[in-house]
Amino acid sequence: MAKAHGSDGPIIIKKYANRRLYDTSTSSYVTLDHLSDLVREGRDFEVRDAKTGEDLTRQVLTQIIFEQETKGQGALPLNFLRQLIGFYGGGAQTFLPAFLEMSMNSFADAQKEWRKATNPMNLFEAQAKRNMAMFEQAMKLFMPTVFNASRTERSSTPQMPANPFMEYQAEALAAMQEQMEAIQKQLTELSRKD
């Protein structure tokens, strides 16, 4: 993200006990909508508890997403939300953030290309294929044993992981791969309709 007003660091937003947000760069109270605008502008900010200094950025960003979803401006499919909740507390939770960050960065870069393209569906389909390849590479790096176990599981001679933790990870990986393949199929069908 870009730095604010040429400063050396992010904008500091203080959050008070009454849930009010104070932008220290403008010396004014702001809303969640203002913080959403900062995100869209690529401006970096941190939200800190006004009393303790605790970093509350993650909670406030999650609150912004919640607000957008409840206003009917949802961008997150129900199946994605269910799967995301399912990853909490499991072994997949450890590598999921890195994968999601990689995917979102790749999607943001591709979005710039789509705006210029005459047929964005072809680019979208190509990006989905790149994301699947990137996902598989990430799985090989983060969890080579589980990745290979899940690939073997889909072959004619399945070999289940030795312990329950690895078994859960293999199942989570297989579910993510199936979802990516379903998305790829939908994109291919959409591109044929154009």
Side-chain angles (χ1 to χ4, degrees):
M1 286 187 170
K3 301 295 180 194
H5 303 295
S7 67
D8 293 341
I11 297 170
I12 302 299
I13 307 292
K14 292 184 178 181
K15 185 173 183 182
Y16 290 91
N18 62 4
R19 299 181 6 178
R20 292 193 70 184
L21 301 166
Y22 184 79
D23 184 334
T24 60
S25 71
T26 60
S27 300
S28 61
Y29 287 98
V30 295
T31 63
L32 290 177
D33 287 337
H34 174 76
L35 297 184
S36 294
D37 291 341
L38 291 178
V39 170
R40 284 187 206 80
E41 293 166 8
R43 310 262 304 279
D44 194 9
F45 65 86
E46 292 178 7
V47 181
R48 301 258 171 209
D49 184 285
K51 187 174 182 179
T52 67
E54 177 187 0
D55 187 351
L56 303 175
T57 309
R58 178 184 303 271
Q59 292 92 327
V60 170
L61 291 174
T62 304
Q63 186 179 357
I64 290 169
I65 292 169
F66 175 77
E67 295 280 328
Q68 294 298 316
E69 291 290 320
T70 57
K71 287 179 183 176
Q73 300 172 1
L76 304 174
L78 286 176
N79 194 37
F80 173 80
L81 291 170
R82 286 186 177 109
Q83 287 182 336
L84 187 61
I85 291 167
F87 287 128
Y88 282 96
Q93 183 178 347
T94 57
F95 68 86
L96 184 64
F99 172 71
L100 289 177
E101 186 171 8
M102 258 188 331
S103 295
M104 290 303 290
N105 289 340
S106 179
F107 183 80
D109 291 342
Q111 193 175 26
K112 294 172 189 170
E113 292 178 35
W114 298 341
R115 289 183 183 132
K116 299 178 210 170
T118 54
N119 186 353
M121 285 311 295
N122 288 343
L123 287 174
F124 194 69
E125 183 178 350
Q127 183 62 38
K129 287 178 183 176
R130 284 193 299 268
N131 283 352
M132 186 62 183
M134 183 175 56
F135 172 72
E136 289 189 357
Q137 286 175 335
M139 292 302 97
K140 287 176 187 175
L141 289 173
F142 290 122
M143 305 172 70
T145 307
V146 173
F147 179 79
N148 291 330
S150 70
R151 300 294 280 188
T152 304
E153 196 173 281
R154 293 160 67 182
S155 71
S156 59
T157 57
Q159 297 175 357
M160 293 301 288
N163 67 47
F165 176 72
M166 288 180 62
E167 185 175 325
Y168 172 79
Q169 289 179 327
E171 288 174 10
L173 177 60
M176 288 174 72
Q177 287 174 328
E178 287 174 18
Q179 184 178 15
M180 291 293 283
E181 289 167 4
I183 290 170
Q184 178 62 45
K185 183 179 176 184
Q186 289 174 346
L187 290 173
T188 302
E189 290 171 5
L190 284 172
S191 67
R192 288 183 187 147
K193 291 180 183 176
D194 288 344

